[in-house]
Amino acid sequence: MARERLVVIGGVAAGLSAASQARRLNRWMDIRVYEKGPDVSYSACGLPYFVEGLVPDADSLRVHSPEFFRTEREIDVLTNHEAVEISTSRRRVTVVTPGGRAPEDIPYDHLVIATGAEPAWPEIQGLGLGGVFHVNDLQSTLALKRYLDSGSVRQAVIIGGGYIGLEMAEALKTSDRAVTLLEHSPHLFEAVDQQILEMIQQELGRHSVEVFTGARVMSLAGDEPRGNKGSVRRVHSEQGSFEADCVVLATGVRPRVRLAEEAGITLGTDGAIAVNDYMETNIAGALAAGDCADTLNLVSGRRTYVPLGTTANKQGRVAGENAAGGRTRFPGIVGTAVVKVFSLEVGRTGLSQKQAQEAGYRIAEAAVRAPARARYLGGQDIIVKLVADRSTGRLLGAQMAGPEGVAKRIDVLATALHARLTAEQVYQLDLSYAPPFSTVWDPILIAVRQLLRELKR
Ligand code: FAD
């Protein structure tokens, strides 16, 4: 009897989580992963730290090799193999193989689409100039690192002030290199509110990163008079022109869905593949996971698109399990994220003030500053911002920033959001205390106390 076959398209977080979980459940299945690039199973999240030099070599970011998957998990991981067409009626994927051989038609019983996201570049003239990079994949980041290591970069410009732009500001800044961050919208890092934003801006200022908001970039100019030739020298934006001998594009991503769309698979929020809790698409036998798929925001109850590694791994695992005959769910996310900006930890979960208002809630909010641990042991202040629903008292979102004790504290509030706790219930939480770790009233509880007062107004 022919073995059932699972074909996975995409060989990073979601794709390899799917393949590995399918193998754990089903020893007999034929599992193949097709990856169009040369790299599989690496931590994209570690790329800024590789650029900064905190990760000494790129190989440390690689988790497993194709060889590991073949020998340890009996999964065929084929690099430089691009899936160019899916026929869902014939259950076949057409794959272009290296060396100019004829495309192969690969039959499948189950398909997991894990094609990730692609950089969303705005219309900017001159993107083809030398010295212009993105950090959305390993190869482009390696090229950026080589360019920086050549020692000629004195003036770097980052386009885009989301979390990757912020991480890159830290990664690129050195004592002899100036960094300018240009953001087209009026605010950096849209996912957080004003109080948190101010702390981020102060931290960037403390490290001499120049920030310009409302600075839509129109074109890049090179050292040769015409077109896309030579190396970048200037960035022209609505806020003026800036010198640059290196430009990093951090303008966000969009789901990579052309293949799925052409196969008749329905797209959902923000153009991502529409999936249900089982990671199934509208077509039988075809599942999708990771940065190419949408998900449910458990706080607002609306479908959303939040491309993050933590979600990609979990969705991949669920897709793999269901492709192998299981029946498990990925219920959704609450929108938790952390980012390090120099010495500042920034965390957010749930809905920001703006997102909560857009979702139709009448909100109460509170923001407090309190030490992350006992002051007599050197504890420094963090900001905790909370948002709640006035009509039910339910917590809707939280944000924090400070030099310590933020990154993991935000997870307490993410848990509260999953449990749909009210502010009163959060206030009753038995949180740990010892002077090196907290204060007797944890900053979370001080913020909730303030929030409860606001809810009574
Ligand atoms: P990808 O990692 O994009 O993998 C998809 C793969 O599919 C790609 O290798 C692609 O080549 C391949 N592919 C596409 N089309 C085809 C085709 N037709 N045929 C064959 N192969 C194909 N997330 C966090 O949670 N925390 C962080 O701190 C964090 N930091 C990040 C920092 C950076 C610089 C970047 C770029 C991302 C970061 N992320 C972070 C996001 C995280 O890396 C992604 O969410 C995660 O990699 C998504 O995994 P994925 O498998 O869905 O997609």
Side-chain angles (χ1 to χ4, degrees), residues 51-52 148 153-154 169-179 207-209 342:
V51 173
E52 191 171 349
L148 294 170
V153 177
R154 294 283 166 268
E170 177 181 341
L172 293 172
K173 186 75 187 86
T174 59
S175 55
D176 58 354
R177 186 184 301 139
V179 173
H207 291 272
S208 309
V209 174
F342 294 95

Side-chain angles (χ1 to χ4, degrees), residues 8-16 34-40 42-49 78 81-85 114-118 135-137 141 163-164 167-168 253 256 258-259 289-293 306-313 315 336 338-339:
V8 176
I9 307 175
V12 191
L16 290 172
Y34 293 100
E35 166 53 55
K36 72 175 179 169
D39 307 302
V40 295
Y42 66 91
S43 167
C45 312
L47 292 174
Y49 307 100
L78 298 135
H81 281 63
E82 181 173 3
V84 291
E85 196 180 343
T115 46
E118 58 199 2
V135 289
N136 289 84
D137 62 42
T141 310
Y163 80 94
I164 292 181
E167 287 180 346
M168 288 311 296
V253 293
R256 195 186 274 120
R258 186 189 55 78
L259 200 58
D291 282 8
C292 62
V306 182
L308 282 177
T310 164
T311 307
N313 276 283
Q315 287 188 333
T336 313
V338 285
V339 58

Side-chain angles (χ1 to χ4, degrees), residues 170-237:
E170 177 181 341
L172 293 172
K173 186 75 187 86
T174 59
S175 55
D176 58 354
R177 186 184 301 139
V179 173
T180 304
L181 183 61
L182 305 179
E183 163 60 44
H184 79 123
S185 71
H187 309 284
L188 289 180
F189 202 30
E190 268 210 323
V192 297
D193 295 336
Q194 191 56 34
Q195 297 91 336
I196 307 293
L197 209 51
E198 280 166 15
M199 272 188 109
I200 296 176
Q201 267 161 338
Q202 275 167 20
E203 185 68 3
L204 291 169
R206 229 164 53 83
H207 291 272
S208 309
V209 174
E210 278 203 291
V211 178
F212 294 85
T213 53
R216 194 170 69 86
V217 174
M218 283 96 66
S219 63
L220 311 180
D223 50 8
E224 290 182 22
R226 263 169 213 290
N228 254 359
K229 295 217 177 91
S231 295
V232 68
R233 288 292 171 260
R234 287 198 86 73
V235 176
H236 300 297
S237 86

Side-chain angles (χ1 to χ4, degrees), residues 299-300 351-353 355-357 359-366 386-398 417 420-424 426 451-452 454-457:
V299 182
S300 68
L351 307 181
S352 65
Q353 174 189 331
Q355 287 168 335
Q357 283 163 337
Y361 290 102
R362 211 165 59 82
I363 60 163
E365 50 180 321
L386 301 176
V387 178
D389 175 15
R390 274 196 182 279
S391 59
T392 61
R394 184 182 146 213
L395 186 72
L396 294 175
L417 291 176
R420 303 176 79 81
L421 298 189
T422 61
E424 185 62 46
V426 176
L451 183 64
L452 287 169
E454 289 298 323
L455 280 164
K456 286 195 186 115
R457 274 180 214 266

Side-chain angles (χ1 to χ4, degrees), residues 57-380:
D57 67 289
D59 282 342
S60 316
L61 298 176
R62 296 182 203 272
V63 187
H64 294 308
S65 64
E67 190 55 25
F68 168 89
F69 284 100
R70 224 174 330 270
T71 55
E72 301 296 317
R73 301 201 177 150
E74 288 184 62
I75 296 170
D76 270 332
V77 177
L78 298 135
T79 55
N80 301 308
H81 281 63
E82 181 173 3
V84 291
E85 196 180 343
I86 303 168
S87 165
T88 54
S89 56
R90 292 164 55 234
R91 292 209 181 196
R92 277 164 195 273
V93 176
T94 308
V95 175
V96 177
T97 55
R101 280 178 278 143
E104 274 180 39
D105 256 4
I106 315 292
Y108 67 80
D109 299 288
H110 309 275
L111 175 69
V112 173
I113 303 170
T115 46
E118 58 199 2
W121 291 322
E123 287 271 312
I124 297 174
Q125 274 176 32
L127 289 183
L129 288 167
V132 180
F133 302 91
H134 66 85
V135 289
N136 289 84
D137 62 42
L138 185 54
Q139 291 303 316
S140 175
T141 310
L142 285 172
L144 167 63
K145 181 72 172 152
R146 281 193 296 272
Y147 196 73
L148 294 170
D149 288 349
S150 72
S152 57
V153 177
R154 294 283 166 268
Q155 180 73 56
V157 171
I158 300 164
I159 306 178
Y163 80 94
I164 292 181
L166 293 173
E167 287 180 346
M168 288 311 296
E170 177 181 341
L172 293 172
K173 186 75 187 86
T174 59
S175 55
D176 58 354
R177 186 184 301 139
V179 173
T180 304
L181 183 61
L182 305 179
E183 163 60 44
H184 79 123
S185 71
H187 309 284
L188 289 180
F189 202 30
E190 268 210 323
V192 297
D193 295 336
Q194 191 56 34
Q195 297 91 336
I196 307 293
L197 209 51
E198 280 166 15
M199 272 188 109
I200 296 176
Q201 267 161 338
Q202 275 167 20
E203 185 68 3
L204 291 169
R206 229 164 53 83
H207 291 272
S208 309
V209 174
E210 278 203 291
V211 178
F212 294 85
T213 53
R216 194 170 69 86
V217 174
M218 283 96 66
S219 63
L220 311 180
D223 50 8
E224 290 182 22
R226 263 169 213 290
N228 254 359
K229 295 217 177 91
S231 295
V232 68
R233 288 292 171 260
R234 287 198 86 73
V235 176
H236 300 297
S237 86
E238 281 174 350
Q239 294 280 356
S241 288
F242 301 89
E243 268 183 48
D245 43 26
C246 177
V247 168
V248 173
L249 296 162
T251 47
V253 293
R254 61 171 159 253
R256 195 186 274 120
V257 293
R258 186 189 55 78
L259 200 58
E261 191 178 17
E262 286 174 5
I265 290 172
T266 302
L267 303 185
T269 312
D270 290 342
I273 298 173
V275 289
N276 62 16
D277 286 4
Y278 301 96
M279 305 316 298
E280 294 164 333
T281 69
N282 62 313
I283 307 262
L287 299 97
D291 282 8
C292 62
D294 74 0
T295 191
L296 182 69
N297 183 316
L298 294 167
V299 182
S300 68
R302 297 176 178 186
R303 301 299 298 176
T304 185
Y305 176 64
V306 182
L308 282 177
T310 164
T311 307
N313 276 283
K314 291 177 199 144
Q315 287 188 333
R317 200 176 161 98
V318 167
E321 182 153 347
N322 293 339
R327 198 71 184 146
T328 182
R329 291 174 62 232
F330 178 74
I333 60 163
V334 294
T336 313
V338 285
V339 58
K340 178 173 168 295
V341 186
F342 294 95
S343 316
L344 196 66
E345 297 176 17
V346 180
R348 57 100 56 227
T349 187
L351 307 181
S352 65
Q353 174 189 331
K354 185 167 159 236
Q355 287 168 335
Q357 283 163 337
E358 279 170 5
Y361 290 102
R362 211 165 59 82
I363 60 163
E365 50 180 321
V368 302
R369 263 178 191 268
R373 60 200 166 96
R375 278 212 203 281
Y376 51 78
L377 290 178
Q380 300 185 64

